[in-house]
Amino acid sequence: MIYRYDFRYTLAKIPVNTALRLYFKKLVFIGKKENVSKKRAIIFAPNHRNALIDALMLVFSSYHLKQIVFLARADIFRKSFVAWLLRGMRIMPVFRIRDGKDNLDKNNEIFDNAARILRKNNPLALFPEAKHNPKQSLLPIQKAVPRIVLPTEASVDFQLQSQIVPVAIYYRDITGFLSDAYITFGTPIEVSDYRDIYKENPVLAINQLRQELENRLKSMVVNIWNDAFYNEYCHAIDWNGDRIAREKFSERKDDFLQASLYIVKKLDELYEDNRTEFDQKTAGFREAHALLKEHGLTSKDRLWKPSSGWNLFARFMALILSAPIAFLGFLNGIFPILINKKLSGLFKDKQFIPSARYAAGLFFVPIFDLIQSLIVGAVTKDWLLALGYFILMPLTFYFALYWRKWLKTTLRDSKVLRFKKQFPDIWKRVLGLIRL
């Protein structure tokens, strides 16, 4: 049964966790010790922005718990080998209307299995939005979580003492390599609080629990609900996030997340209370964005903190001196790079790109490291050299990826400095327009 121990999950967890640490520059978990019980039946209810990576975040953070069982959309189970692998990683399919009306009845069995998992005191995870959303916003919360947990609790007269833990997952750059990620575990919802309501009116209890979960997630997630000004909100975070994080939240590990929440809240308040000022501010954001675009810059460029000429010179020299190591790393990792490009091209949605990149690093780097090391040993007859290559191949490849990101950042910073020197008046005007 899926709620029993599975060796595939344990074998996968170590490389999965290691690869996540290497994939992100900064990985911050908040509220795990305070809000995640080891002794209670738990349903994790996270927002869903980044395909497979979101699920892996929970796997990584829950090393102290039993093996988590996930519920995921059924269409990813179509291939038999993939289905075997997913079930080994403790993932069960959930059928949606788009999977065909005839399949919806299969959810009854899935929900029964989920109830058995909770009774075994195993953690369960379900994305309550029911689909991924790459935007910095929260989709309407569906009823799947209360539909599972309330009947389960009712079957044992609410003695299970289960909890729903809302989880907010935030990526500073959802498609960027070596970016920052923040995972916040919110205050648990006590399902037993709905005992009396459920006994009187199950439908009302389900709706109220769904609404409470949605309210909790809205208070935790960076939720840009105003689609008409979505880009302006995002640019405001890009331009002001670091400064506000430093000025107001420097003592917190989730400083940039808190800064982003602060910016969205402040703009929301302006929209509700002072529409004139809000319109002026967003018009300024649009003007600044247009000026930057005209000069080949974006909201991601660090306009407020241009690097000095000496700093850029030192960075370029370091890049030049380390280029041979980077070249060796790219050469060693050429096959994983090509496979990653092929995998990424299979998806139209950008949020699958990080998952494809992660999968290429997790599976194909070790595979080609072993193959290439065996080739080195067979050709040179020096197996000590082959062992050295086996160790150095992933190290040089990872350095090459870091070097490429370092190069891109340095080139962007040099462009900002040129912009400041060549167009000082425009630069100052932009700084005035982007400040919140």
Side-chain angles (χ1 to χ4, degrees):
M1 298 298 289
I2 198 166
Y3 50 75
R4 293 177 181 171
Y5 174 84
D6 195 301
F7 76 95
R8 288 169 290 184
Y9 186 99
T10 301
L11 289 177
K13 198 167 184 179
I14 295 175
V16 161
N17 292 355
T18 302
L20 271 181
R21 277 295 183 190
L22 293 173
Y23 186 87
F24 290 98
K25 180 180 179 182
K26 183 178 180 180
L27 194 54
V28 178
F29 297 94
I30 303 296
K32 182 172 65 175
K33 291 182 179 179
E34 307 95 297
N35 297 323
V36 180
S37 172
K38 298 179 183 179
K39 301 178 180 179
R40 306 277 290 275
I42 293 173
I43 292 185
F44 291 109
N47 64 313
H48 195 14
R49 291 194 61 211
N50 206 348
L52 176 65
I53 300 292
D54 291 340
L56 296 179
M57 289 294 189
L58 289 180
V59 172
F60 181 87
S61 64
S62 61
Y63 61 88
H64 65 298
L65 297 175
K66 296 179 181 179
Q67 296 177 346
I68 297 178
V69 178
F70 289 87
L71 274 68
R73 67 178 198 262
D75 60 314
I76 64 176
F77 286 78
R78 290 173 181 168
K79 299 289 186 180
S80 58
F81 174 75
V82 173
W84 176 84
L85 187 64
L86 291 173
R87 291 183 187 279
M89 295 179 67
R90 306 178 70 78
I91 301 174
M92 297 192 303
V94 175
F95 295 89
R96 303 167 296 174
I97 189 67
R98 70 186 68 177
D99 298 315
K101 291 183 179 180
D102 295 339
N103 288 319
L104 291 180
D105 289 340
K106 296 179 182 179
N107 282 338
N108 294 328
E109 180 184 353
I110 299 299
F111 288 171
D112 288 342
N113 284 335
R116 283 194 286 271
I117 289 164
L118 289 176
R119 292 193 193 101
K120 290 285 184 178
N121 210 30
N122 272 57
L124 190 68
L126 174 62
F127 296 106
E129 295 168 283
K131 60 181 178 180
H132 57 254
N133 173 33
K135 288 188 173 182
Q136 298 187 66
S137 59
L138 187 70
L139 297 175
I141 299 304
Q142 305 302 309
K143 297 178 182 179
V145 172
R147 280 184 60 198
I148 291 172
V149 72
L150 284 173
T152 301
E153 281 282 9
S155 69
V156 293
D157 195 26
F158 284 81
Q159 298 302 307
L160 194 58
Q161 294 185 319
S162 59
Q163 295 178 323
I164 300 171
V165 179
V167 183
I169 302 176
Y170 180 73
Y171 302 97
R172 181 163 179 173
D173 183 353
I174 192 170
T175 60
F177 176 64
L178 289 174
S179 183
D180 302 340
Y182 302 87
I183 300 86
T184 306
F185 296 88
T187 303
I189 299 172
E190 297 289 346
V191 180
S192 59
D193 291 346
Y194 287 83
R195 175 181 179 177
D196 295 338
I197 302 174
Y198 187 81
K199 287 185 175 182
E200 292 182 9
N201 190 332
V203 175
L204 179 62
I206 288 173
N207 288 332
Q208 287 189 0
L209 181 51
R210 185 209 67 80
Q211 188 61 58
E212 182 177 0
L213 176 57
E214 183 168 278
N215 292 340
R216 294 283 189 95
L217 283 170
K218 281 183 177 179
S219 69
M220 299 165 57
V221 171
V222 177
N223 182 31
I224 305 174
W225 60 270
N226 198 331
D227 287 339
F229 298 97
Y230 181 82
N231 290 333
E232 287 75 15
Y233 273 70
C234 291
H235 294 156
I237 293 173
D238 291 340
W239 287 323
N240 296 278
D242 285 309
R243 175 181 58 82
I244 291 176
R246 184 177 63 254
E247 293 176 356
K248 294 183 177 293
F249 306 104
S250 58
E251 296 181 357
R252 298 186 57 129
K253 292 191 297 182
D254 58 341
D255 51 353
F256 193 85
L257 168 60
Q258 292 301 319
S260 301
L261 289 167
Y262 173 88
I263 291 167
V264 171
K265 182 180 179 181
K266 187 168 183 178
L267 287 172
D268 284 345
E269 289 174 349
L270 279 179
Y271 183 83
E272 295 293 335
D273 303 331
N274 193 338
R275 188 58 187 271
T276 300
E277 185 178 349
F278 176 87
D279 288 340
Q280 290 174 348
K281 182 57 66 176
T282 52
F285 290 161
R286 286 192 292 272
E287 181 184 349
H289 184 260
L291 288 171
L292 292 175
K293 186 176 181 180
E294 184 180 336
H295 291 86
L297 297 170
T298 73
S299 62
K300 300 291 185 183
D301 291 315
R302 297 183 288 188
L303 303 164
W304 58 92
K305 192 179 179 181
S307 300
S308 67
W310 282 108
N311 176 274
L312 287 170
F313 175 78
R315 287 158 66 183
F316 275 119
M317 288 302 298
L319 283 164
I320 292 171
L321 292 174
S322 59
I325 301 175
F327 176 76
L328 178 62
F330 284 125
L331 190 63
N332 287 332
I334 186 64
F335 294 111
I337 290 173
L338 293 175
I339 292 172
N340 172 56
K341 286 186 177 295
K342 182 66 174 179
L343 288 175
S344 298
L346 298 177
F347 302 105
K348 294 180 180 179
D349 295 333
K350 286 186 177 181
Q351 63 266 32
F352 284 101
I353 293 176
S355 296
R357 185 189 298 133
Y358 175 86
L362 178 64
F363 294 107
F364 296 111
V365 170
I367 289 173
F368 281 97
D369 184 18
L370 178 61
I371 293 173
Q372 291 166 201
S373 298
L374 291 174
I375 292 173
V376 169
V379 171
T380 64
K381 307 299 182 183
D382 187 341
W383 293 103
L384 187 60
L385 176 64
L387 177 62
Y389 180 86
F390 181 78
I391 296 171
L392 287 176
M393 182 274 189
L395 294 177
T396 56
F397 180 52
Y398 186 75
F399 175 81
L401 298 176
Y402 187 90
W403 185 91
R404 181 172 60 184
K405 185 176 179 66
W406 187 17
L407 174 63
K408 289 180 179 178
T409 302
T410 304
L411 290 171
R412 299 305 305 177
D413 287 348
S414 66
K415 200 165 189 177
V416 169
L417 182 60
R418 287 198 302 273
F419 173 64
K420 177 188 175 183
K421 288 183 175 180
Q422 295 176 8
F423 308 97
D425 293 338
I426 299 177
W427 175 72
K428 290 179 181 178
R429 175 160 180 75
V430 168
L431 289 185
L433 291 171
I434 68 177
R435 190 176 178 90
L436 184 64

